[in-house]
Amino acid sequence: PEGGLTHHRRRAGQMLTLFGQASIPLLAQGDRRGAAFCRDQAACLLAHMFLCTIPSDRSAWGARGGRLNRQNFVEMLTDGRRGQDVAKLQCLLVYFRALGLPRGQPSPEAVRFFRVSIADVWDDRRWRSCGVPLRAVKAVHEGIIDDYHDALQVDFANACIGGGVLSGGCVQEEIRFTQCPDLIVSLLICQAMGDNEAIIFKGGRRYCETRGYLFDLQFNGRHTGPEISPPLLTAIDALDYRGHWGDPLTHQLEPAVMLRELNKACAGFCVRLPDVAEFLGSNASHPREVATGHWGCGAFLGNKELKALLQWMAASACDLDLVYTTFGDEAFAHELGHVVDTLRSKGVTVGQLWEAVCWPDMASTARNLGGIFRHVKAGFAQARAQPPGGDQGPRSRPPPQNPSGSAAPGLGP
């Protein structure tokens, strides 16, 4: 039957027909390029992963020292007692059934992956001089990131793309990959991300629905929503603060730590760059907003207020508005909206907000005032922001001639 082992073998057996003598591309650390597969090619690779026929020794693919994620379903198939893994396997079978039996001609629809690697990462001085005005923010407590179909949607990723989707993982990234199995192909071709890298996806169609979270994840049937073009996704991995000794907020407010997160977000939000837009296609080149939320603030213990401000700065530098979903936290959405209104009414720039979060002894000041938001509001409430000066950001400069890029993190070629 469709979706059974015979079906999987037929899918896997199409390798030579679909790929010929071409090798499967590798998007290694430091690359700035993409890879595309038609829908049937993606299904062929997934069939091999499901049948566990991907070679276990793939050290030749670990060029430049990069790690690859799991390459097959061995762990999931041999430890199928975990409820979340049962749900994932049910979703995968729905995916194969939806595609039907292999056709004679490959499907024209493509699944695309683009690895962004920023050569010229901005330092503290350059962020302080950034005169780009802060963009609009819509802070909402109802709904989820997936609801904002026309926005660039943020995947709260693991450095090894896909995280634990082929094992016991079941948080935001793993759930998205489970619902959109085409995205699992990225585990075969994308090495672990560096601090200056992101991975952008286009074409990951949703085939099924799930309910629950973490170990309560359950299969919830085939996706029956309208047939619309899959959204544009960007995968960015946050720092993990669980192993840090000492005061966690003080550590997160260190300039070097904040710079890493700010530049990482910029790498993920740079979809308007000419090379990225060209690869993804004309329909994907002009999202007007990025939909995100509490990135790295669950198991990784990130500070929600700080991460919201850093993502706001990154989106503004990349010429995008922000949709910030708080996953039911109405008070946080209200407080963020108040911060946004205060700062935008004063004409505050990205550089000025960066200076505010770099305030000396910010951790104790924020605690005394009741949080980072209150510190930032207090700093701008009584005075008008100075007219923007210095570096007006990437939008005001012509593209550099150097292909490595030097316009801005995430905003230069």
Side-chain angles (χ1 to χ4, degrees):
E2 292 186 13
L5 286 176
T6 300
H7 182 181
H8 300 327
R9 288 197 294 266
R10 289 183 63 179
R11 278 282 179 196
Q14 285 192 303
M15 180 70 80
L16 188 59
T17 301
L18 293 171
F19 291 93
Q21 299 300 318
S23 60
I24 299 171
L26 172 69
L27 303 183
Q29 283 190 4
D31 284 349
R32 188 181 176 115
R33 63 190 184 91
F37 303 94
C38 73
R39 198 72 64 187
D40 289 318
Q41 287 175 321
C44 175
L45 293 173
L46 278 172
H48 274 286
M49 296 175 75
F50 182 80
L51 295 171
C52 303
T53 53
I54 301 293
S56 58
D57 181 10
R58 300 177 65 241
S59 58
W61 288 41
R64 296 178 231 165
R67 293 179 294 138
L68 286 165
N69 206 331
R70 291 174 176 84
Q71 304 292 288
N72 55 52
F73 285 72
V74 167
E75 182 174 344
M76 192 184 299
L77 292 170
T78 56
D79 195 10
R81 295 168 295 177
R82 295 181 298 207
Q84 68 270 27
D85 286 344
V86 173
K88 293 176 188 178
L89 289 170
Q90 288 176 293
C91 290
L92 187 70
L93 293 177
V94 165
Y95 161 78
F96 281 118
R97 290 193 188 102
L99 289 178
L101 294 172
R103 297 178 290 272
Q105 294 294 326
S107 60
E109 191 176 13
V111 185
R112 299 177 179 272
F113 309 92
F114 194 95
R115 187 182 193 106
V116 177
S117 184
I118 304 301
D120 183 23
V121 176
W122 273 22
D123 59 12
D124 173 77
R125 179 188 60 81
R126 294 174 74 181
W127 276 110
R128 287 176 184 269
S129 65
C130 181
V132 175
L134 291 167
R135 295 289 297 252
V137 177
K138 182 191 302 180
V140 294
H141 68 276
E142 296 180 333
I144 58 176
I145 291 171
D146 304 32
D147 296 336
Y148 295 89
H149 186 270
D150 293 330
L152 173 66
Q153 298 180 5
V154 177
D155 167 21
F156 300 165
N158 190 285
C160 278
I161 197 69
V165 65
L166 297 186
S167 55
C170 42
V171 289
Q172 191 239 28
E173 179 176 40
E174 290 90 349
I175 292 173
R176 174 63 75 107
F177 278 47
T178 295
Q179 296 170 338
C180 310
D182 290 320
L183 301 180
I184 298 176
V185 172
S186 62
L187 278 66
L188 289 175
I189 66 171
C190 295
Q191 287 184 353
M193 290 182 278
D195 287 344
N196 62 332
E197 295 185 310
I199 297 171
I200 298 173
F201 308 98
K202 181 189 178 187
R205 186 172 295 281
R206 179 174 299 211
Y207 288 89
C208 55
E209 302 290 351
T210 61
R211 64 176 181 267
Y213 201 72
L214 292 172
F215 305 115
D216 295 325
L217 185 70
Q218 297 179 20
F219 173 70
N220 199 33
R222 182 173 177 174
H223 176 65
T224 57
E227 289 291 331
I228 54 180
S229 176
L232 195 63
L233 306 178
T234 185
I236 52 175
D237 58 297
L239 289 174
D240 185 350
Y241 302 112
R242 287 176 294 183
H244 177 73
W245 292 95
D247 177 24
L249 181 58
T250 299
H251 173 64
Q252 291 182 46
L253 286 167
E254 292 176 4
V257 175
M258 291 192 293
L259 278 171
R260 189 274 183 192
E261 301 293 75
L262 181 55
N263 287 318
K264 168 66 72 167
C266 270
F269 298 169
C270 68
V271 290
R272 294 193 175 192
L273 287 175
D275 56 341
V276 180
E278 180 181 3
F279 179 81
L280 294 173
S282 58
N283 291 335
S285 59
H286 298 295
R288 290 172 295 188
E289 57 190 16
V290 54
T292 187
H294 297 322
W295 171 52
C297 299
F300 285 4
L301 305 181
N303 180 277
K304 293 178 182 178
E305 295 186 3
L306 178 60
K307 286 296 183 70
L309 296 179
L310 292 173
Q311 290 183 92
W312 185 20
M313 286 185 271
S316 299
C318 293
D319 202 21
L320 294 171
D321 291 342
L322 195 71
V323 176
Y324 198 95
T325 60
T326 66
F327 309 105
D329 189 340
E330 186 173 1
F332 189 94
H334 176 77
E335 188 68 14
L336 175 57
H338 192 197
V339 173
V340 170
D341 291 344
T342 300
L343 271 59
R344 281 174 52 83
S345 71
K346 303 294 184 181
V348 176
T349 66
V350 171
Q352 290 168 329
L353 178 54
W354 172 249
E355 283 191 304
V357 298
C358 291
W359 186 267
D361 202 21
M362 169 65 135
S364 62
T365 304
R367 287 193 193 92
N368 292 336
L369 291 175
I372 295 174
F373 282 172
R374 292 188 178 183
H375 165 78
V376 169
K377 281 192 300 181
F380 289 106
Q382 301 302 320
R384 292 185 56 83
Q386 295 298 316
D391 188 351
Q392 292 296 309
R395 293 179 295 157
S396 66
R397 291 195 297 272
Q401 300 301 312
N402 186 341
S404 66
S406 59
L411 290 166

